[in-house]
Amino acid sequence: MQGPWEERDGVLRYRTRGGVEIYRLPMRLFPELDGYVYLILTDSHRILVDAGSGLPESWEDLQRGLEIVRARYGCRVDLPSLTAIVITHGHIDHFGGLTFVRQQSPAPVFAHELDRRVLVNYPERLITVAQELRHFLSQAGVSPERQAALLNLYLSMKTMFQSTSVEGLLGDGELLFGILRVHHTPGHCPGQVCIQVDEVLLTSDHILAHTTPHQAPERITRYTGLGHYLESLRRVAAIPGIALAFGGHEDPILDPYGRIAAIEAFHHQRLERVLEICQEPRTIVEISRALFGRQYGYGVLLALLEAGAHVEYLYDRGYLQVANLDQLEKEPEVPIRYRRL
Ligand SMILES: [Zn+2]
Ligand SMILES: [Zn+2]
Protein backbone atom coordinates (compact mmCIF):
# COMPACT_ATOMS: atom_id res chain seq x y z
CA MET A 1 0.00 0.00 0.00
CA GLN A 2 1.32 3.44 -1.00
CA GLY A 3 1.14 6.39 1.36
CA PRO A 4 3.01 9.30 2.89
CA TRP A 5 5.57 6.97 4.47
CA GLU A 6 8.76 5.15 3.54
CA GLU A 7 8.94 1.38 3.52
CA ARG A 8 12.12 -0.68 3.79
CA ASP A 9 12.02 -4.48 4.17
CA GLY A 10 8.45 -4.33 5.45
CA VAL A 11 9.12 -1.70 8.13
CA LEU A 12 7.31 1.63 7.56
CA ARG A 13 8.65 4.96 8.74
CA TYR A 14 6.53 8.08 9.00
CA ARG A 15 7.82 11.44 10.19
CA THR A 16 5.13 13.62 11.79
CA ARG A 17 4.78 17.38 11.28
CA GLY A 18 6.38 17.85 14.69
CA GLY A 19 9.39 15.76 13.65
CA VAL A 20 8.58 12.61 15.61
CA GLU A 21 9.57 9.37 13.87
CA ILE A 22 7.10 6.51 13.94
CA TYR A 23 8.25 3.06 12.82
CA ARG A 24 5.75 0.27 12.18
CA LEU A 25 7.18 -3.23 12.74
CA PRO A 26 5.17 -6.16 11.31
CA MET A 27 4.76 -9.37 13.24
CA ARG A 28 3.06 -12.72 13.38
CA LEU A 29 0.91 -12.79 16.49
CA PHE A 30 -1.10 -16.01 16.34
CA PRO A 31 -1.34 -18.67 13.61
CA GLU A 32 -4.05 -16.67 11.82
CA LEU A 33 -3.39 -13.18 13.13
CA ASP A 34 -0.76 -10.67 12.05
CA GLY A 35 -0.29 -7.18 13.40
CA TYR A 36 2.16 -4.45 14.34
CA VAL A 37 4.06 -2.84 17.13
CA TYR A 38 5.25 0.75 16.83
CA LEU A 39 8.44 2.45 17.78
CA ILE A 40 8.26 6.18 18.48
CA LEU A 41 11.53 8.06 18.42
CA THR A 42 12.57 11.60 19.29
CA ASP A 43 15.94 12.92 20.42
CA SER A 44 15.15 12.03 23.99
CA HIS A 45 12.55 9.23 23.82
CA ARG A 46 12.48 5.68 22.49
CA ILE A 47 9.02 4.31 23.11
CA LEU A 48 7.71 0.89 22.13
CA VAL A 49 3.94 0.81 21.63
CA ASP A 50 2.71 -2.76 22.29
CA ALA A 51 4.88 -5.83 22.57
CA GLY A 52 3.44 -8.60 20.38
CA SER A 53 1.74 -11.80 21.50
CA GLY A 54 4.41 -13.72 23.35
CA LEU A 55 4.59 -16.56 20.82
CA PRO A 56 8.18 -17.26 19.69
CA GLU A 57 7.45 -16.08 16.12
CA SER A 58 6.21 -12.73 17.40
CA TRP A 59 9.38 -12.30 19.47
CA GLU A 60 11.50 -13.25 16.42
CA ASP A 61 9.67 -10.67 14.30
CA LEU A 62 10.17 -7.94 16.88
CA GLN A 63 13.91 -8.55 16.90
CA ARG A 64 13.97 -8.67 13.12
CA GLY A 65 12.01 -5.39 12.91
CA LEU A 66 14.45 -3.66 15.24
CA GLU A 67 17.34 -5.01 13.16
CA ILE A 68 15.77 -3.46 10.03
CA VAL A 69 15.36 -0.12 11.84
CA ARG A 70 19.09 -0.23 12.64
CA ALA A 71 20.43 -1.62 9.37
CA ARG A 72 18.11 0.00 6.81
CA TYR A 73 17.22 3.27 8.53
CA GLY A 74 20.52 3.77 10.36
CA CYS A 75 18.86 4.33 13.68
CA ARG A 76 20.66 2.97 16.75
CA VAL A 77 17.87 1.52 18.81
CA ASP A 78 17.53 -1.73 20.72
CA LEU A 79 15.46 -3.10 23.58
CA PRO A 80 17.88 -2.13 26.39
CA SER A 81 17.79 1.51 25.23
CA LEU A 82 13.97 1.88 25.26
CA THR A 83 12.76 4.67 27.54
CA ALA A 84 9.15 3.45 27.90
CA ILE A 85 6.77 0.68 26.82
CA VAL A 86 3.14 1.68 26.22
CA ILE A 87 0.47 -1.05 26.10
CA THR A 88 -2.60 0.07 24.15
CA HIS A 89 -4.99 -2.45 25.71
CA GLY A 90 -5.18 -5.63 27.73
CA HIS A 91 -5.43 -8.22 24.96
CA ILE A 92 -2.74 -10.86 24.78
CA ASP A 93 -1.83 -10.12 21.13
CA HIS A 94 -0.72 -6.65 22.30
CA PHE A 95 0.93 -7.28 25.66
CA GLY A 96 1.89 -10.99 25.66
CA GLY A 97 5.36 -10.16 24.31
CA LEU A 98 6.21 -8.30 27.51
CA THR A 99 7.33 -11.67 28.86
CA PHE A 100 10.28 -11.52 26.42
CA VAL A 101 10.73 -7.76 26.10
CA ARG A 102 11.09 -7.21 29.84
CA GLN A 103 13.99 -9.64 30.01
CA GLN A 104 15.97 -7.19 27.89
CA SER A 105 14.45 -3.83 28.70
CA PRO A 106 14.37 -2.05 32.05
CA ALA A 107 11.91 0.54 30.63
CA PRO A 108 8.75 1.28 32.63
CA VAL A 109 5.47 -0.18 31.31
CA PHE A 110 2.45 2.12 30.91
CA ALA A 111 -1.19 1.00 30.58
CA HIS A 112 -4.65 2.40 31.26
CA GLU A 113 -5.80 1.73 34.82
CA LEU A 114 -8.83 -0.30 33.62
CA ASP A 115 -6.46 -2.84 32.02
CA ARG A 116 -3.72 -2.73 34.63
CA ARG A 117 -4.95 -5.77 36.56
CA VAL A 118 -4.95 -7.87 33.39
CA LEU A 119 -1.18 -7.39 33.11
CA VAL A 120 -0.48 -7.60 36.82
CA ASN A 121 -2.56 -10.75 37.43
CA TYR A 122 -3.48 -12.44 34.17
CA PRO A 123 -4.76 -15.74 35.67
CA GLU A 124 -7.18 -13.77 37.87
CA ARG A 125 -8.54 -12.01 34.81
CA LEU A 126 -9.06 -15.25 32.86
CA ILE A 127 -10.64 -17.18 35.71
CA THR A 128 -13.07 -14.43 36.77
CA VAL A 129 -14.09 -13.72 33.18
CA ALA A 130 -14.56 -17.44 32.59
CA GLN A 131 -17.19 -17.41 35.35
CA GLU A 132 -19.12 -14.58 33.67
CA LEU A 133 -18.65 -16.26 30.33
CA ARG A 134 -20.15 -19.53 31.62
CA HIS A 135 -23.29 -17.69 32.71
CA PHE A 136 -23.51 -15.86 29.38
CA LEU A 137 -23.10 -19.08 27.37
CA SER A 138 -25.73 -20.85 29.44
CA GLN A 139 -28.29 -18.05 28.93
CA ALA A 140 -27.32 -17.89 25.25
CA GLY A 141 -28.43 -21.50 24.75
CA VAL A 142 -25.06 -23.28 24.53
CA SER A 143 -25.19 -26.91 25.77
CA PRO A 144 -23.21 -27.70 28.97
CA GLU A 145 -20.70 -29.88 27.02
CA ARG A 146 -20.11 -27.12 24.51
CA GLN A 147 -19.76 -24.56 27.33
CA ALA A 148 -17.01 -26.65 28.92
CA ALA A 149 -15.16 -26.99 25.60
CA LEU A 150 -15.33 -23.24 24.89
CA LEU A 151 -14.19 -22.33 28.40
CA ASN A 152 -11.27 -24.76 28.20
CA LEU A 153 -10.20 -23.13 24.97
CA TYR A 154 -10.39 -19.72 26.63
CA LEU A 155 -8.50 -20.79 29.75
CA SER A 156 -5.76 -22.48 27.72
CA MET A 157 -4.31 -18.98 27.15
CA LYS A 158 -3.43 -18.86 30.86
CA THR A 159 -0.02 -20.38 30.32
CA MET A 160 0.92 -17.89 27.58
CA PHE A 161 1.86 -14.95 29.75
CA GLN A 162 3.73 -14.32 32.97
CA SER A 163 2.09 -11.48 34.87
CA THR A 164 4.21 -8.37 35.10
CA SER A 165 4.26 -5.00 36.84
CA VAL A 166 2.85 -1.75 35.47
CA GLU A 167 4.88 1.31 36.40
CA GLY A 168 2.81 4.11 34.88
CA LEU A 169 -0.81 4.85 33.98
CA LEU A 170 -2.21 6.27 30.76
CA GLY A 171 -4.76 8.91 31.73
CA ASP A 172 -7.36 10.19 29.28
CA GLY A 173 -6.31 13.52 27.73
CA GLU A 174 -2.83 13.32 29.21
CA LEU A 175 0.24 14.33 27.17
CA LEU A 176 2.80 11.67 27.99
CA PHE A 177 6.49 12.64 27.64
CA GLY A 178 5.37 15.82 25.88
CA ILE A 179 4.59 13.87 22.67
CA LEU A 180 1.91 11.19 23.17
CA ARG A 181 -1.67 12.41 23.66
CA VAL A 182 -3.72 9.67 25.30
CA HIS A 183 -7.37 9.18 24.29
CA HIS A 184 -9.26 6.61 26.37
CA THR A 185 -11.61 4.73 24.01
CA PRO A 186 -13.31 1.92 25.97
CA GLY A 187 -15.46 -0.60 24.11
CA HIS A 188 -13.26 -3.17 22.38
CA CYS A 189 -11.43 -3.44 25.73
CA PRO A 190 -11.97 -1.53 29.01
CA GLY A 191 -8.58 0.20 29.01
CA GLN A 192 -8.30 0.63 25.24
CA VAL A 193 -6.42 3.82 24.37
CA CYS A 194 -5.63 5.55 21.10
CA ILE A 195 -2.31 7.40 21.07
CA GLN A 196 -2.05 10.66 19.13
CA VAL A 197 1.31 11.91 17.89
CA ASP A 198 0.78 15.22 16.08
CA GLU A 199 -1.48 14.42 13.06
CA VAL A 200 -1.17 10.64 13.51
CA LEU A 201 -3.42 8.44 15.60
CA LEU A 202 -2.31 4.98 16.67
CA THR A 203 -5.74 3.39 16.87
CA SER A 204 -4.69 -0.06 18.10
CA ASP A 205 -7.84 -2.25 17.91
CA HIS A 206 -10.33 0.61 18.28
CA ILE A 207 -10.38 1.42 14.56
CA LEU A 208 -9.11 -0.98 11.89
CA ALA A 209 -8.88 -0.43 8.14
CA HIS A 210 -10.94 -3.40 6.94
CA THR A 211 -12.67 -5.30 9.71
CA THR A 212 -14.89 -3.96 12.46
CA PRO A 213 -13.12 -4.58 15.78
CA HIS A 214 -14.48 -7.44 17.84
CA GLN A 215 -17.27 -6.67 20.34
CA ALA A 216 -18.37 -8.54 23.46
CA PRO A 217 -21.21 -7.87 25.91
CA GLU A 218 -20.63 -5.44 28.73
CA ARG A 219 -22.19 -7.88 31.19
CA ILE A 220 -19.08 -10.07 30.84
CA THR A 221 -16.53 -7.24 31.21
CA ARG A 222 -17.48 -3.74 32.33
CA TYR A 223 -16.47 -0.85 30.04
CA THR A 224 -16.78 -3.07 26.98
CA GLY A 225 -19.96 -3.47 24.95
CA LEU A 226 -21.29 -1.83 21.83
CA GLY A 227 -22.67 1.24 23.63
CA HIS A 228 -19.25 2.23 24.99
CA TYR A 229 -17.62 1.36 21.69
CA LEU A 230 -19.89 3.59 19.60
CA GLU A 231 -19.42 6.43 22.12
CA SER A 232 -15.66 6.04 21.81
CA LEU A 233 -15.90 6.18 18.01
CA ARG A 234 -17.71 9.54 18.38
CA ARG A 235 -14.96 10.73 20.72
CA VAL A 236 -12.29 10.01 18.12
CA ALA A 237 -14.40 11.58 15.36
CA ALA A 238 -14.38 14.78 17.44
CA ILE A 239 -10.56 14.98 17.63
CA PRO A 240 -9.54 17.58 15.05
CA GLY A 241 -6.70 17.23 12.54
CA ILE A 242 -6.06 13.47 12.35
CA ALA A 243 -4.61 12.86 8.88
CA LEU A 244 -3.43 9.28 9.23
CA ALA A 245 -4.25 6.35 11.49
CA PHE A 246 -2.15 3.26 12.14
CA GLY A 247 -3.96 0.27 13.63
CA GLY A 248 -2.71 -2.66 15.63
CA HIS A 249 -3.59 -4.85 12.62
CA GLU A 250 -4.34 -4.30 8.92
CA ASP A 251 -3.43 -1.36 6.66
CA PRO A 252 -2.89 2.28 7.59
CA ILE A 253 -6.04 4.41 7.33
CA LEU A 254 -5.74 7.47 5.11
CA ASP A 255 -9.29 8.69 5.80
CA PRO A 256 -9.81 8.08 9.54
CA TYR A 257 -13.06 10.08 9.82
CA GLY A 258 -14.54 8.27 6.81
CA ARG A 259 -13.54 4.93 8.29
CA ILE A 260 -15.27 5.81 11.58
CA ALA A 261 -18.48 6.65 9.70
CA ALA A 262 -18.28 3.32 7.83
CA ILE A 263 -17.82 1.33 11.07
CA GLU A 264 -20.79 3.12 12.67
CA ALA A 265 -22.95 2.38 9.63
CA PHE A 266 -21.88 -1.26 9.73
CA HIS A 267 -22.98 -1.69 13.35
CA HIS A 268 -26.29 0.05 12.74
CA GLN A 269 -26.96 -2.37 9.86
CA ARG A 270 -26.06 -5.32 12.06
CA LEU A 271 -28.43 -4.04 14.77
CA GLU A 272 -31.20 -3.83 12.16
CA ARG A 273 -30.39 -7.37 11.07
CA VAL A 274 -30.66 -8.65 14.66
CA LEU A 275 -34.09 -7.00 14.96
CA GLU A 276 -35.18 -8.75 11.74
CA ILE A 277 -33.93 -12.11 13.04
CA CYS A 278 -35.89 -11.51 16.27
CA GLN A 279 -39.28 -11.18 14.57
CA GLU A 280 -39.65 -14.66 16.07
CA PRO A 281 -38.25 -15.42 19.55
CA ARG A 282 -34.55 -16.35 19.24
CA THR A 283 -31.70 -17.37 21.56
CA ILE A 284 -28.27 -15.79 21.15
CA VAL A 285 -27.03 -19.10 19.72
CA GLU A 286 -29.71 -18.88 17.01
CA ILE A 287 -28.99 -15.20 16.36
CA SER A 288 -25.26 -15.91 16.09
CA ARG A 289 -25.93 -18.75 13.63
CA ALA A 290 -28.20 -16.52 11.51
CA LEU A 291 -25.57 -13.73 11.45
CA PHE A 292 -22.38 -15.72 10.97
CA GLY A 293 -23.32 -19.23 9.83
CA ARG A 294 -21.55 -22.26 11.27
CA GLN A 295 -18.31 -21.45 13.10
CA TYR A 296 -15.50 -23.65 14.43
CA GLY A 297 -13.09 -23.59 17.38
CA TYR A 298 -12.49 -20.15 18.86
CA GLY A 299 -14.64 -18.67 16.07
CA VAL A 300 -17.74 -20.06 17.84
CA LEU A 301 -16.97 -18.02 20.95
CA LEU A 302 -16.16 -14.86 18.97
CA ALA A 303 -19.42 -15.13 16.99
CA LEU A 304 -21.50 -15.65 20.15
CA LEU A 305 -19.88 -12.67 21.86
CA GLU A 306 -20.35 -10.43 18.82
CA ALA A 307 -24.03 -11.44 18.56
CA GLY A 308 -24.40 -11.05 22.33
CA ALA A 309 -23.00 -7.50 22.24
CA HIS A 310 -25.58 -6.46 19.64
CA VAL A 311 -28.44 -8.16 21.49
CA GLU A 312 -27.39 -6.49 24.75
CA TYR A 313 -27.28 -3.07 23.08
CA LEU A 314 -30.81 -3.50 21.71
CA TYR A 315 -32.20 -5.05 24.88
CA ASP A 316 -30.75 -2.35 27.17
CA ARG A 317 -32.39 0.30 25.00
CA GLY A 318 -35.79 -1.38 24.90
CA TYR A 319 -35.81 -2.64 21.27
CA LEU A 320 -35.90 -6.30 22.29
CA GLN A 321 -37.87 -8.03 25.00
CA VAL A 322 -37.60 -11.41 26.71
CA ALA A 323 -40.14 -13.67 25.00
CA ASN A 324 -40.09 -16.61 27.43
CA LEU A 325 -40.54 -14.78 30.73
CA ASP A 326 -42.96 -17.35 32.24
CA GLN A 327 -40.58 -20.20 31.49
CA LEU A 328 -37.60 -18.24 32.90
CA GLU A 329 -39.45 -17.55 36.11
CA LYS A 330 -39.88 -21.26 36.72
CA GLU A 331 -36.54 -22.50 35.34
CA PRO A 332 -33.81 -19.83 35.72
CA GLU A 333 -31.29 -21.95 33.77
CA VAL A 334 -33.34 -21.96 30.58
CA PRO A 335 -31.88 -19.98 27.61
CA ILE A 336 -33.35 -16.51 27.08
CA ARG A 337 -35.35 -15.95 23.91
CA TYR A 338 -35.45 -12.41 22.56
CA ARG A 339 -38.20 -10.92 20.46
CA ARG A 340 -38.42 -7.59 18.70
CA LEU A 341 -40.68 -5.14 20.50
ZN1 LIG B 1 -7.84 -6.28 21.02
ZN1 LIG C 1 -5.39 -6.95 18.48
Side-chain angles (χ1 to χ4, degrees), residues 89-91 93-94 188-189 192 204-205 249:
H89 68 292
H91 285 167
D93 55 319
H94 295 258
H188 171 74
C189 192
Q192 173 77 68
S204 180
D205 284 2
H249 312 268

